[in-house]
Amino acid sequence: MTADVRPPAEAVSTALVIKGARPYGEGEPVDVLVRDGVIAEIGSVTVPEGAEVIEAAGQVLLPGFVDLHTHLREPGREDTETVESGSAAAALGGYTAVFAMANTDPVADNALVTDHVWRRGQEAGLVDVHPVGAVTVGLKGEKLAELGTMAKSVAGVRVFSDDGVCVADPLLMRRALEYSTALDAVIAQHAEEPRLTVGAQAHEGEQASRLGYPGWPASAEESIVARDCLLALHANARLHVCHVSTAGTVDVLRWAKERGTKVSAEVTPHHLLLTDDRLETYDPVNKVNPPLRTGSDAERLRAALAEGVVDCVATDHAPHAPQDKDTEWNAARPGMLGLQTALSVVVETMVKPGLLDWRGVARVMSERPAEIGNLPEHGRPLATGEPANLTLVDPAAEWTVRGAELASIAANTPYEGMRLPGVVTATLLRGRITAREGKIR
Amino acid sequence: MKHLLATDGLDAATATAVLDTADELKHTLLGREVKKLPTLRGRTVITLFYENSTRTRVSFEIAGKWMSADVINVSASSSSVNKGESLRDTALTLAAAGADCMIVRHPASGAAHRLSGWLAEAGTSVVNAGDGTHEHPTQALLDAATLRERLGSLQDRRIAIVGDVLHSRVARSNIHLLTTLGAEVVLVAPPTLLPVGVDKLPVTVSHDLDAELPAVDAVMMLRVQAERMTGGGPGQSFFPSAREYSISYGLSERRQALLPEHAVVLHPGPMLRGMEIAHAVADSPASAVTEQVRNGVHVRMAVLYHLLASEGAAA
Ligand SMILES: [Zn+2]
């Protein structure tokens, strides 16, 4: 079964030196020697014979980013994204590992599909692609998928999610949480009480009311998060809350964490930056699930991320074809691209206003997601002997987003034409350069 | 005016100009045997209806024909919509075939706005004939025309809009237009049929119809949109029963007696007689329901005139 699967993308034996970058954006600039896929030396480094040199004066060195929530669309919608094209987008965005959500066609609810996705990730070799397994068969919310078989497969699945839909049945969610404790796994929930969001098209509030969009109430998210936190506490299981979008959910998370619940949570870049004011455009490029909320929700989410009540940033990268987006609002699929713009949006919303320093960015984009996703090789400290999964960022540079120029096959970015700060200049996976100056290596 | 997509943002001067034109057209045509003006000869108007609405479609069709435009009706059941063609492709095809104006009725809020974007290059004007639960601007204009006729002016008049505000594009369009024209609006509905954030609109809200009626100049009854109550199953309980709705929010003869003498009763139709409005009230002299329909044609003629024939329409 495992014979035809290549081992993880090889570490390179040639040396590489990053010159003059500041780890976590702190202290004096240093040189970093990378050899055999690990950080061999930090400080003042003599460049070894034949070593590649990356001049990185003025740049910030961070552990490679980890995305807990990516839709790669393979298998099934390779016209919008493949594991390979999504891996390229991830590498260009500074990522060294991504979790590919299970709502593909066929659904990743069995080891055949999860292994296929894992293998395709290895073939692309740009980031570590970790398939997420479905919690229930066919994402139908009726019957547990074979979580144990997926956990024991080549891909070694550790994150399970029906993302796209909520595991709404409380008894089934209880069973999933209980069962997952034997697998050292986490259940990632798309928190949406379906009875409260029938026909929903946008955040239920002043804007949606004015424009006549059926509303997606904040309480539909908050009630599920509250319920699941209680179930996770009862089962002593690990719960991860996908794409937190409301201020009320932040309050629930704080309360649950204080009670000792093993709960973690992610927020998307778009929920940090964009609001339901975007509904004014009627352009479904802004349609996403959960929907863009109000300005005060975004403000509370930024504060919660800074404080750690929300643990990390996840992109919810969701490529869609033009015929699924350039339509009337109701007909459009929810979702937007995120991998290549995430860092910039975090800089804009968190770093520039002083809510996070670069050590904080490393925490929310690399360390915490790696811990939650159970990846011992990622999100490691910038220290000698650690795996060289690294990202270099030019904090002073700006760029203009053009959907057509992004590496994804789809182009549905809400930031089209927007000027954003913070440019990823290089990404290293186990010491090998995967992206450099906006190009895939 | 290039498009008529909403009354939200329509300024008082433009709205008044359309109403004045409607007035003029009405008087010009009054008593004429052949109701036909040559104004839009050679122009092609397409009605593109993704929802059935005979009354609105026919009103637009008559308006176009009385202006001598060529009017072509396209409905979802007869068009390529059934074959899965997108709204965008259908609209682009019809524009390429030579439509000067497209009148669209669609179940998605914002559909008319999207169309106006897709048709920008073709230069086709778009009239929103009802999009989802968003707006129905010509209905609001014909309501305003009717109220102007009956009450003289809308300035400082108090108008109650009663019933299913949540699902009503007519209510949204009327709230914006009536307040723009100087009226005060009070919404009377059960809390389940009011949109979230209603407090941010320029209206007052009440759950007590009896208390409001003595102080209003007009009462606009809304249709209870059972087909839009998408909660499904028990979630459909926006109110406990038709009987209770009728008792609390129906315009009965007893309630009509609470109205001032001069007050006008409106209903956009089709009416649920006995539930929303008593039979006798609907047919009483206070009721302007028939005038609403008649004025609808003149208002839609005026809209087509301002889009296609007036100075600057070519720009
Ligand atoms: Zn989701």
Side-chain angles (χ1 to χ4, degrees):
Chain A
M1 183 72 212
T2 59
D4 60 327
V5 177
R6 296 193 304 172
E10 301 276 343
V12 280
S13 52
T14 49
L16 179 149
V17 177
I18 300 165
K19 283 193 80 78
R22 294 163 72 227
Y24 306 107
E26 295 167 359
E28 292 302 308
V30 295
D31 303 336
V32 176
L33 172 65
V34 172
R35 201 201 293 273
D36 298 330
V38 298
I39 298 174
E41 228 179 294
I42 299 183
S44 185
V45 170
T46 321
V47 179
E49 180 88 19
E52 179 163 6
V53 174
I54 297 177
E55 295 292 346
Q59 300 193 17
V60 176
L61 183 64
L62 298 170
F65 305 147
V66 175
D67 189 15
L68 278 170
H69 195 144
T70 306
H71 296 275
L72 293 182
R73 304 297 185 219
E74 184 179 353
R77 282 307 297 268
E78 290 85 350
D79 61 317
T80 62
E81 196 79 294
T82 60
V83 172
E84 190 177 7
S85 67
S87 292
L92 290 164
Y95 289 89
T96 51
V98 300
F99 285 80
M101 276 299 172
N103 64 340
T104 47
D105 182 16
V107 173
D109 59 3
N110 61 78
L112 282 175
V113 178
T114 54
D115 281 355
H116 173 75
V117 171
W118 188 82
R119 195 176 290 116
R120 293 283 291 118
Q122 291 298 311
E123 284 163 14
L126 294 168
V127 291
D128 288 346
V129 175
H130 294 277
V132 173
V135 178
T136 70
V137 175
L139 309 175
K140 288 199 171 77
E142 291 163 359
K143 185 176 178 306
L144 282 187
E146 290 183 342
L147 309 186
T149 309
M150 287 188 272
K152 288 175 191 115
S153 73
V154 176
V157 179
R158 289 292 178 276
V159 179
F160 294 95
S161 180
D162 275 4
D163 181 60
V165 287
C166 181
V167 180
D169 184 313
L171 182 56
L172 192 59
M173 186 60 183
R174 173 190 170 170
R175 296 292 181 237
L177 287 163
E178 285 173 342
Y179 196 81
S180 71
T181 58
L183 309 172
D184 197 18
V186 60
I187 303 293
Q189 175 73 295
H190 171 119
E192 174 185 358
E193 168 48 59
R195 291 287 297 143
L196 292 175
T197 58
V198 176
Q201 292 291 334
H203 169 64
E204 182 171 287
E206 191 189 338
Q207 274 287 19
S209 291
R210 191 164 69 76
L211 300 170
Y213 291 113
W216 198 131
S219 55
E221 174 174 305
E222 294 149 5
S223 58
I224 290 290
V225 175
R227 181 201 77 173
D228 287 354
C229 283
L230 292 168
L231 292 173
L233 186 62
H234 181 70
N236 194 26
R238 289 173 61 213
L239 168 72
H240 178 70
V241 182
C242 294
H243 41 51
V244 168
S245 70
T246 81
T249 299
V250 171
D251 295 335
V252 173
L253 287 168
R254 187 190 309 277
W255 169 84
K257 285 183 167 187
E258 279 167 10
R259 287 171 60 113
T261 313
K262 291 179 187 167
V263 59
S264 57
E266 67 188 33
V267 62
T268 71
H270 49 269
H271 285 110
L272 293 173
L273 180 62
L274 307 177
T275 68
D276 65 349
D277 286 350
R278 282 282 185 124
L279 293 177
E280 292 276 4
T281 65
Y282 298 93
D283 186 343
V285 77
N286 299 301
K287 181 172 168 177
V288 67
N289 187 10
L292 300 178
R293 304 289 186 181
T294 68
S296 61
D297 287 306
E299 200 177 306
R300 286 289 306 282
L301 291 169
R302 293 192 289 262
L305 181 64
E307 207 187 328
V309 176
V310 169
D311 298 78
C312 65
V313 171
T315 65
D316 197 2
H317 178 81
H320 285 299
Q323 68 268 23
D324 296 324
K325 272 298 194 185
D326 195 11
T327 64
E328 60 277 22
W329 186 276
N330 290 21
R333 291 179 194 232
M336 41 183 68
L337 298 184
L339 284 168
Q340 279 177 261
T341 46
L343 184 269
S344 291
V345 174
V346 168
V347 173
E348 175 73 22
T349 55
M350 302 297 296
V351 179
K352 269 173 67 179
L355 288 166
L356 278 186
D357 57 14
W358 290 98
R359 200 166 274 276
V361 173
R363 173 168 59 80
V364 302
M365 293 193 68
S366 182
E367 293 159 12
R368 284 298 290 142
E371 285 166 18
I372 294 162
N374 219 333
L375 301 184
E377 299 282 296
H378 291 269
R380 300 294 304 165
L382 299 174
T384 315
E386 293 288 351
N389 296 317
L390 302 171
T391 296
L392 266 176
V393 174
D394 185 342
E398 289 192 347
W399 64 300
T400 302
V401 182
R402 299 284 174 215
E405 292 167 10
L406 300 176
S408 288
I409 295 170
N412 52 305
T413 174
Y415 311 112
E416 183 69 39
M418 209 184 261
R419 218 164 155 70
L420 291 175
V423 170
V424 173
T425 58
T427 311
L428 278 71
L429 179 64
R430 281 180 283 283
R432 192 168 60 80
I433 298 173
T434 52
R436 176 93 180 100
E437 306 289 353
K439 297 221 161 42
I440 286 296
R441 278 275 194 103
Chain B
M1 200 158 65
K2 177 71 202 168
H3 307 291
L4 179 64
L5 304 177
T7 59
D8 187 5
L10 192 67
D11 59 86
T14 309
T16 305
V18 171
L19 293 175
D20 289 347
T21 305
D23 240 15
E24 231 175 280
L25 288 164
K26 184 173 189 174
H27 288 108
T28 307
L29 293 173
L30 201 67
R32 278 208 199 186
E33 218 163 291
V34 181
K35 297 194 183 335
K36 200 117 173 156
L37 303 170
T39 325
L40 295 183
R41 193 171 287 153
R43 298 298 200 118
T44 302
V45 172
I46 293 184
T47 66
L48 178 56
F49 273 48
Y50 283 73
E51 286 179 343
N52 285 329
S53 172
T54 306
R55 65 170 55 219
T56 303
R57 190 186 53 69
V58 165
S59 179
F60 272 111
E61 185 176 356
I62 292 173
K65 287 188 166 161
W66 283 4
M67 304 283 277
S68 301
D70 296 309
V71 183
I72 295 158
N73 298 315
V74 178
S75 68
S77 52
S78 67
S79 74
S80 46
V81 177
N82 272 351
K83 298 171 199 122
E85 190 181 55
S86 70
L87 174 63
R88 181 175 176 277
D89 286 344
T90 302
L92 289 174
T93 303
L94 295 175
D100 296 297
C101 178
M102 223 171 282
I103 295 159
V104 65
R105 160 72 64 101
H106 199 280
S109 299
H113 279 84
R114 293 293 282 162
L115 268 191
S116 68
W118 292 322
L119 296 176
E121 221 163 287
T124 309
S125 289
V126 175
V127 177
N128 182 3
D131 61 331
T133 49
H134 179 217
E135 285 225 30
H136 191 1
T138 57
Q139 176 72 40
L141 284 163
L142 75 87
D143 289 338
T146 308
L147 289 170
R148 272 196 352 167
E149 257 176 17
R150 287 274 188 124
L151 301 172
S153 153
L154 283 163
Q155 193 61 46
D156 300 325
R157 296 296 193 171
R158 188 169 170 82
I159 294 148
I161 300 180
V162 183
D164 185 1
V165 178
L166 179 66
H167 300 103
S168 176
R169 48 198 174 206
V170 173
R172 276 175 187 72
S173 286
N174 264 302
I175 289 166
H176 295 299
L177 183 63
L178 294 173
T179 51
T180 297
L181 295 175
E184 283 172 48
V185 171
V186 53
L187 304 178
V188 188
T192 47
L193 291 177
L194 286 166
V196 167
V198 71
D199 50 316
K200 303 285 178 9
L201 292 169
V203 297
T204 52
V205 171
S206 163
H207 308 304
D208 185 348
L209 185 53
D210 285 348
E212 299 300 328
L213 290 177
V216 301
D217 300 290
V219 52
M220 185 179 290
M221 303 304 295
L222 296 173
R223 196 163 65 81
V224 175
Q225 312 228 15
E227 75 279 10
R228 289 192 189 282
M229 297 186 181
T230 51
Q236 285 227 1
S237 299
F238 284 89
F239 48 85
S241 69
R243 193 181 101 90
E244 178 163 318
Y245 181 89
S246 184
I247 291 170
S248 301
Y249 299 100
L251 192 58
S252 60
E253 284 179 87
R254 177 188 69 75
R255 284 216 168 95
Q256 188 183 17
L258 299 173
L259 285 167
E261 194 96 19
H262 68 276
V264 191
V265 174
L266 302 179
H267 195 298
M271 291 180 280
L272 276 182
R273 287 178 189 249
M275 182 190 174
E276 296 157 354
I277 189 165
H279 191 79
V281 178
D283 294 338
S284 72
S287 164
V289 172
T290 320
E291 286 150 72
Q292 283 176 280
V293 175
R294 200 173 297 128
N295 286 332
V297 175
H298 302 123
V299 158
R300 287 169 178 130
M301 289 172 81
V303 168
L304 292 175
Y305 174 82
H306 281 268
L307 291 176
L308 299 176
S310 73
E311 240 170 284

